[in-house]
Each structure stands twice: as C-alpha cells, then as structure tokens.
Amino acid sequence: MTDIDTNSVPERKRGSGVKMVYDLLRDEILDLVLPPGSPIDEVQLAERFKMSRTPIREALVRLAGEGLIETLPNRSTMVSNIDFLNLNTFFDALVLMYRVTTRLAARNYRPEDLTIIRGFHEDYAAAVQTRDALRMISTNAAFHAAIADAGRNPYFTSLFRRLLDEGRRILRLYYRSYDEQFPQRFVDEHAEIIAAIEARDIEAADRLGKAHAEQIVAQVQKLFSRDVGIDIAL
Amino acid sequence: MTDIDTNSVPERKRGSGVKMVYDLLRDEILDLVLPPGSPIDEVQLAERFKMSRTPIREALVRLAGEGLIETLPNRSTMVSNIDFLNLNTFFDALVLMYRVTTRLAARNYRPEDLTIIRGFHEDYAAAVQTRDALRMISTNAAFHAAIADAGRNPYFTSLFRRLLDEGRRILRLYYRSYDEQFPQRFVDEHAEIIAAIEARDIEAADRLGKAHAEQIVAQVQKLFSRDVGIDIAL
DNA sequence: TGTATTTTATTTGTCGACAAGAAAAACACA
DNA sequence: TGTGTTTTTCTTGTCGACAAATAAAATACA
C-alpha cells in the first residue's frame, strides 16, 4: 500500500499549466461539452489536472475576462449563457466584422497568409465531405480568423475572434440535432472570398464577406425561429 | 478622488481587493502615471496595498487580458508599449467604432441615456473651461462610452472602450507638454452629436460620428508628425 | 404542519512559504 | 583585459492551509 507510484505524470513545465487548463476549458465550452450554465468547480478541476487551485484560478480569470464564464462573488462560477434575446446585436457585430476583416485582408495580405488561409479552407472542405459537424464549425472559425489575421488589425481581429467563439457555440447548438445541407454552399463562397482577396479586389471582398455573413445569419435565424422554446431553455 | 487609505485598519471586504488594485493600476496606466515600459513588481504592490500577492496577481491577469500590461514568462511584467508604428490600425478601428456606436445610439437610445450623456458632455465642457487636461481626456472618453452604451451592443461597446482607453494614453502624451486650442470645437461637435441622436437621425449621427473621429485622428496625427523621434522613444 | 432560527457544509478568497527559472554578479582562467 | 563558467539574487509560478461568505440542512417553536 505504499504510494510510491505517484510519479505517473508529475513532470509539468512551469508555466504550462494555466495554458493547458485555459485551452481545454475553452474548447469544452465552445463545443458545448460544458453547456451554458454548467457549474465550474475549482477543486474538482484541480484534482482532474493534478495541480493546485492557483493555476486553475488564473485560467478561470482569463476565461471570465473573455465572457466565457461568469463568476458570482463568494458563491459559484458557471459557463456563460447564450443571450438568445439579444442575438441581433451579435449578428450586427458579426456581419460588420466579416466585412471589415475580409476587406482589410484584400488590402494588406502577404503571400504567406494565403497559404494559411487555403489550408483552413481545405480543412473545412474535408470536414464537409466527411460530415464532421464539430470539425466543420471549428475549421470555419479558423478560416475566417486567418483572414482577419491577414488584415493585420489586432483590434478587429480580437473582437472577431470573440464573435467567432460565440458563433461556435450557437452553431454547435443546431448541429447537435440537425444535419443541414448548407455547408457546401459555404465552401464555394469561401473560394470566392479567397479569389477576391488574392486579386486585392477590396470592394468585392467587402461585398462577398457581407453576403457570406448574411447567409450564415439567415440560416441561424431560420433554425432559431423553427424551434424557439426548445433551445431557449438553455 | 481616490481613497486608497492604506494606513488605517486592514479591514477590507472580502472581494474588494482585486477590484481596487485593478481600478487604480488601470487609471495609473491610462494617465501615464505608469508610463509604457514601467516595471510592475508584484511584491512591491503587495506591500503598497498591504495584501498578499494572490489578489495582486489576479488584478494583473485581468490587466494583461486587456492588453494594458505584458508579461514575460518567469521574468518580468511591465506596462504595455504604445505601438506608434501601427497607429493607423488604431485609427481605423477608432473611426469605425465612433461611427457605429453613434449610429446605434441614435437608433436605440432611451430617454434616461440622454441624461447620462448630457452629464458627461457638461463635465467635458467644464474641464475645457478650466483647461484641466487630464479631466478633459477622461470625460471625453466617458462621454463617448456613454453614447456606446446607449447603442446597446456590448460587443461594440467593449471594443470601443478598449480603444478609448488606448486613446487616453495617446492623448495624455500630447497634453503633457502642449496646450492646444482644439477642445472647444469638440464641445460643439459633441452638442451636434447629441442633437442628432435625440432626433433619431441615424445617418446624421453616423456622419457626425465619423467627422468627429476624423477630426481627432487628424489632430493626433498632426501632433505626432510634429515630434516623431521624441515620443517614439517611449 | 409551516416558519423562523441555528447549525453544518461547501465553495471561494486570501495568505505565507517554497521552488523553479532567468538575469545579474562574481569568479576563474587564459 | 577579455571571455567563459559558476554562483548569487531576484522575480515569478505553484502549493497547501486557513478564513470568510454563502447555501443547505437541521432544529426549534408556534
């Protein structure tokens, strides 16, 4: 009964713990593995990751800073709810950021950016082929984030990333039970967007980005209006 | 204004320490009391606020999340630099957010919002009268933040707040040594913006917001180009 | 039985201490 | 004197423990 075998995986690099916890929790929240409202228990996480509460706490503070979790002082902390009542403000911001990031990408991209963008484009197409919903959602977000990076405006990029994160949660909600056919159209639109960027056609990029965003918004709104009252419970 | 009161009884309320440290450090950073590059020492802050390093650390993590300080792993942490080389990306984002928040305010404001906005408008005018630069800068930011609040889009509001924060640092830099005459014009423009919002004239609000933003940008660019090489050292 | 009050339990916020990592200083050696 | 190596110092990252705040349970009382 000697506890000598505690040396299974105790070797951890010094600053890596918080990032690991942060990344994992973030993914679990965005993929709805931790649905909105899920309680977050610090000691439970500390046991799970075999570390003290301190680095866990730091990761939680960062997640709270991005609005992914909510903390009630001295009480509990839980995964943030999706604000269905104000989805329009989300859509407003999303459409504008789609436009402006695509536009800036057409103006500011460098050759190496296109390589990265095309990589995610192919990842997304592959995910559509294999009908892998989770992968479709995450690679789509990565594709547009890469375009934003090529636009080289960190202020827009960070807001856009936050919006794409929230979008991941909302999309995940619908792909949970439905197997829609719209992804193929999106693959084609992505290709058009890439072409416009490469041609440095700023106005076309703006227009395509806007149209693409509005397609997505319309799709989500259709799904949403179809089953209000079910998902609103979340 | 600030009631630090570090000498009296160390009877603080339980969750108030982090907020106090966060608020104070944030103000000191934005007012350039802590100039870019200033080292942030945890133990020093802990002694100054008579508390443990833990709440200090949490405040620093939050500040880092907003980009106000930068942390080098295992080494040091310091106040973030102002990126003069990419000021144009800052201006791009600032102008767009001025436009969109003013526009949304005209569409979505409620009567009580106008009261708040007018309050900050008068604060700003008073600061201009007394030529109180620090107060001019902070009330100007508060004025536009209040307009953004009236627009009721938290995504835009949070980005705009971050931009206004950065703007506070940049303006502070120039008001340090110059006593320009442009504030009075800004008072008038603020009045015009309020009128457009109150009339729910969305297009006028958009146009005035854009013009106002571009005025500020042009002013800062003029000051900047006048003494590059001096301030670039920061 | 229903309600107010006390007690317990659970979770968070804070603390002091220690160890790891990196920079600076001290040192050895040619 | 200059360079490479070792030692010291200084700051951060992590830990375990304790105290405060709140919720839940238990109890008292009508």
Side-chain angles (χ1 to χ4, degrees), chain A residues 14 40-43 53 57 73-75 77:
Chain A
R14 200 167 144 82
I40 306 278
D41 185 8
E42 293 178 4
V43 295
R53 274 176 53 220
R57 216 140 199 293
N74 282 317
R75 231 175 300 175
T77 144

Side-chain angles (χ1 to χ4, degrees), chain A residues 19-36:
Chain A
K19 179 168 168 47
M20 165 181 298
V21 175
Y22 169 82
D23 285 338
L24 196 86
L25 279 184
R26 181 171 173 277
D27 273 338
E28 290 191 348
I29 291 171
L30 297 182
D31 288 341
L32 297 190
V33 175
L34 293 175

Side-chain angles (χ1 to χ4, degrees), chain A residues 72-92:
Chain A
L72 295 102
N74 282 317
R75 231 175 300 175
S76 65
T77 144
M78 59 180 211
V79 177
S80 296
N81 284 12
I82 300 175
D83 188 0
F84 289 102
L85 296 180
N86 287 27
L87 267 191
N88 57 323
T89 71
F90 169 72
F91 291 141
D92 283 353

Side-chain angles (χ1 to χ4, degrees), chain B residues 14 40-41 53 57 75 77:
Chain B
R14 200 166 144 82
I40 306 278
D41 186 7
R53 272 177 54 219
R57 214 140 201 290
R75 233 176 301 175
T77 142

